[in-house]
Amino acid sequence: MLLNIEKLIYGGDGLARLPADNRGRGKAVFVPFVLAGEKIEAALTEEKPGFARAHAEAIIEPSPHRIPPPCPHFGHCGGCHYQQAPYQHQLEIKKEILRENLRRIAKLDLHCEIEVHPSPPWNYRNRSRLQVRTSPDFAAGYFKFASHELLPVEECPISSPLINRGITALWKSGRAGQAVEGVREVEFFANSDANGNETNLLLEFLCAPEARRAAVRAWAEELCAAMPEIAGVVAFREPQKGVQEPLVAVGASELTYQTKNAAYRVSAGAFFQTNRFLTDELINIVTTGHSGEVALDLYAGVGLFSTALARNIRHIVSVESSQTAAKDLQYNLPVNGKVVHAATEQYLAELGDKGRAGHGAVLPQVLHKPDLVVVDPPRGGLGDRVARLLAGVDAPRVTYVSCDPATLARDLVPLQAAGYRIDQVHLVDLFPQTYHLESVLHLVR
């Protein structure tokens, strides 16, 4: 069938419509790897009562923006979605998707411009996770698009040069027969020095329950010996009942990540931002211009924002639920920072009900109304309860760091109802070539 692509939507797909029936507008069809305005010849791959999915068999009328994708794996690999468009057009796509989500879900027409912060479009990732297969032959790579089937990849153009050298070392080791059965994933994390140059790699293995400790250790030692930049390898067993068990540690278990203003300890298993070019810019967007007595940093991670806020705010309370990240957070925070190891929902509920910071630690009276709250939730967003608890904190300023425009827009509904309005909107493109979209909104009331 012939389809006309109306627009791109969050998730990377183009939106088209099946022919209208007697009930009105035709069913929505989602098509990957297309651009708005294109006419395509398509084949349906899935049909549900409310929508359908299709694959473009041929581009009949291409967009004037269409370019040949640089990576030979594009369209087969599940990692990238926009390589068919030049980078400047990718930014326009993301800007419109952010604006449309805010309008459709939050009923919000922006009265301020979306400030776009671009990234170098290639070799930007400082963290990359590869799937590993040891039989019938060794292979490492990413999942194929819309599947859990391994696509062998020996070079990734969005990963940093040091990570690509690490991928080469992994393949060389695997082809030499050193790979161990039961290691299912290898995640590379590269740090940087004061000049932004990569210096070391930390590898994380994810292992099946049956993986043998001695064999995993031997492979980790061989990788460290083969590539001096590998500072350490930490292996975990696959989580059982939500608990991830450390299996083996060879060499360092953490790296020091240097930004312009601070050095962060980041341990294996802890989250850190993945764009090596925009880390400082993201910190500045979130923290610059804020001062006062007290700030809350919720979902604080290893303290990326807390550490910067502590320069101009007298008291920082940083809330983090991950035990691994909370230990790094404690290490990274200056003396005017306080770590609360708790879920954000638990902390805010106790703060509202009892004025307590979790685990019975009574908060100073000043914390009942902080000058600023920074929230950087996971992809699922805050959720209605946390958003309402956040509004109850009654801070005059809230900075929301979002990696999903749909959950962001949903969370803005109760915040707007509580009297918050948007002062600034930033689109920080941490993930070029993909549909992923990072934004920072400054809210005031």
Side-chain angles (χ1 to χ4, degrees):
M1 66 181 68
L2 293 179
L3 293 176
N4 295 310
I5 306 301
E6 297 177 8
K7 62 181 179 180
L8 295 194
I9 61 172
Y10 185 66
D13 289 339
L15 171 67
R17 297 276 175 186
L18 293 179
D21 55 23
N22 55 12
R23 292 172 294 179
R25 190 166 62 162
K27 183 186 296 185
V29 186
F30 304 118
V31 189
F33 311 121
V34 294
L35 293 173
E38 292 187 326
K39 178 178 286 188
I40 65 169
E41 185 177 299
L44 288 183
T45 57
E46 180 183 9
E47 191 162 8
K48 299 282 188 179
F51 68 93
R53 297 190 185 278
H55 170 73
E57 299 285 335
I59 308 296
I60 305 301
E61 294 180 11
S63 163
H65 298 290
R66 178 171 285 274
I67 62 171
C71 179
H73 301 295
F74 182 71
H76 305 286
C77 175
C80 291
H81 316 90
Y82 289 160
Q83 287 191 25
Q84 77 277 26
Y87 183 55
Q88 191 58 43
H89 188 59
Q90 294 181 32
L91 295 174
E92 292 299 321
I93 291 168
K94 293 183 179 185
K95 186 175 177 180
E96 182 52 38
I97 287 173
L98 176 58
R99 189 183 299 277
E100 194 272 338
N101 273 265
L102 295 176
R103 182 170 55 242
R104 178 174 54 86
I105 300 172
K107 312 302 180 189
L108 178 64
D109 285 314
L110 291 177
H111 297 293
C112 60
E113 184 60 32
I114 298 175
E115 187 172 343
V116 178
H117 304 263
S119 165
W122 303 104
N123 297 124
Y124 62 85
R125 290 192 66 97
N126 60 29
R127 190 183 290 271
S128 298
R129 180 185 304 166
L130 274 68
Q131 309 301 311
V132 172
R133 181 184 71 205
T134 54
S135 62
D137 56 355
F138 175 83
Y142 301 114
F143 286 132
K144 291 182 178 180
F145 178 75
S147 84
H148 284 88
E149 183 182 349
L150 177 68
L151 175 71
V153 171
E154 297 188 44
E155 184 178 4
C156 176
I158 64 172
S159 295
S160 74
L162 184 55
I163 288 179
N164 272 296
R165 293 202 297 275
I167 293 172
T168 298
L170 180 69
W171 272 91
K172 185 176 179 181
S173 171
R175 287 187 170 120
Q178 296 170 349
V180 174
E181 186 177 356
V183 176
R184 295 181 175 173
E185 292 180 359
V186 176
E187 184 166 356
F188 297 86
F189 174 55
N191 68 353
S192 66
D193 63 16
N195 297 315
N197 301 311
E198 300 174 290
T199 59
N200 288 297
L201 282 174
L202 182 65
L203 273 58
E204 296 177 30
F205 286 0
L206 184 63
C207 304
E210 66 272 15
R212 295 186 299 113
R213 190 187 304 267
V216 172
R217 178 179 293 278
W219 190 24
E221 290 173 344
E222 287 163 347
L223 282 169
C224 288
M227 186 176 176
E229 294 96 333
I230 298 176
V233 179
V234 180
F236 298 93
R237 291 197 190 276
E238 288 181 331
Q240 301 293 315
K241 297 181 179 179
V243 179
Q244 195 168 47
E245 175 196 351
L247 179 66
V248 166
V250 174
S253 296
E254 73 277 332
L255 293 181
T256 298
Y257 201 102
Q258 182 70 51
T259 67
K260 289 181 179 178
N261 296 306
Y264 298 87
R265 188 182 79 178
V266 185
S267 297
F271 172 78
F272 197 78
Q273 291 294 341
T274 57
N275 187 307
R276 66 195 185 99
F277 299 118
L278 289 184
T279 303
D280 284 298
E281 186 150 4
L282 180 64
I283 293 171
N284 290 338
I285 292 165
V286 172
T287 65
T288 298
H290 293 302
S291 60
E293 283 291 311
V294 178
L296 302 184
D297 185 9
L298 308 178
Y299 312 93
V302 302
L304 186 69
F305 304 130
S306 296
T307 302
L309 286 168
R311 294 195 300 269
N312 296 308
I313 295 179
R314 288 186 62 189
H315 302 287
I316 306 294
V317 177
S318 305
V319 181
E320 174 53 46
S321 61
S322 162
Q323 184 174 10
T324 300
K327 289 180 179 178
D328 288 341
L329 177 60
Q330 185 71 63
Y331 181 89
N332 294 328
L333 271 185
V335 294
N336 59 331
K338 172 185 173 68
V339 175
V340 178
H341 179 209
T344 290
E345 182 174 349
Q346 172 199 354
Y347 173 79
L348 289 178
E350 294 194 12
L351 181 64
D353 292 343
K354 304 174 184 177
R356 296 180 181 272
H359 306 291
V362 179
L363 284 169
Q365 182 67 28
V366 70
L367 289 188
H368 284 258
K369 188 173 180 180
D371 301 289
L372 169 70
V373 180
V374 173
V375 293
D376 185 9
R379 199 167 302 282
L382 301 175
D384 185 69
R385 174 168 164 76
V386 173
R388 293 180 184 278
L389 288 169
L390 174 60
V393 173
D394 197 29
R397 293 172 292 169
V398 172
T399 295
Y400 191 133
V401 184
S402 168
C403 58
D404 187 308
T407 58
L408 165 68
R410 177 204 65 197
D411 292 340
L412 286 175
V413 174
L415 291 173
Q416 288 185 104
Y420 284 99
R421 61 179 177 81
I422 294 176
D423 184 49
Q424 295 178 35
V425 181
H426 298 263
L427 194 163
V428 190
D429 194 29
L430 301 184
F431 310 101
Q433 316 306 330
T434 82
Y435 72 80
H436 297 291
L437 193 163
E438 192 89 359
S439 58
V440 178
L441 272 65
H442 293 295
L443 310 177
V444 297
R445 74 172 178 186

